[in-house]
Amino acid sequence: MRDYTQMQSVTFGIDVLANSVWFFNREVTRDLVIELRDYDNQANGLPYTSVWAKVGTLDAGKTGWQHLSVTIDDTSVLGLPSGWGGYGAEDAQGNPFLPSDRTFASVLAGVDEVAFTTLVPGFVYGFTYFDVAVDNISISPVPEPAQGGMLLAGLAGMAALARRRARR
């Protein structure tokens, strides 16, 4: 389990190469989604509670590798940030939402699994053939501006000291 609320903000990234995405014998595109899942708080008979966002699109028409990422600017926010959805309860039509006793931050405080997937919660999909490569999956805390400035100043000071020693 990982508590992402211990970070001010965090970026999730992935590199993808979509060679082919086939559905009914033709090339199609599919959304790539990141889903942060908490299995400890199962509600309403669903296997987990999660928050999710579209990261980008798998498209065989794009040549070469794509870097896709999403940043959570404030991990302590209670409501869903713009572009994020929730899962853990469903309305009568099967549309997913966060259960009333959960918030964005409470899910981030107990993430058991980070999933990159093409399955958008609440949608039904037919068989799709994927020829996709992935690389460089990353989870990076984003330093606060004051910390980043102090880090850069410290690195600059160390570089200056190293240059001074090299001249001797």
Side-chain angles (χ1 to χ4, degrees), residues 12-86:
F12 298 88
I14 188 170
D15 292 343
V16 296
L17 174 64
N19 294 312
S20 183
V21 181
W22 275 75
F23 182 69
F24 281 111
N25 296 320
R26 66 182 179 104
E27 282 291 336
V28 296
T29 61
R30 287 289 185 259
D31 290 324
L32 184 64
V33 171
I34 185 168
E35 190 173 19
L36 308 175
R37 299 173 178 167
D38 181 356
Y39 285 93
D40 298 328
N41 297 292
Q42 299 170 8
N44 305 312
L46 298 174
Y48 53 81
T49 301
S50 71
V51 292
W52 58 273
K54 294 179 182 176
V55 179
T57 303
L58 298 177
D59 183 352
K62 293 184 179 178
T63 57
W65 288 88
Q66 299 178 74
H67 178 74
L68 305 174
S69 67
V70 64
T71 298
I72 300 171
D73 292 321
D74 182 357
T75 60
S76 67
V77 68
L78 299 180
L80 292 170
S82 178
W84 284 83

Side-chain angles (χ1 to χ4, degrees), residues 81-100:
S82 178
W84 284 83
Y87 175 83
E90 294 178 338
D91 65 16
Q93 289 76 38
N95 298 311
F97 59 91
L98 275 181
S100 60

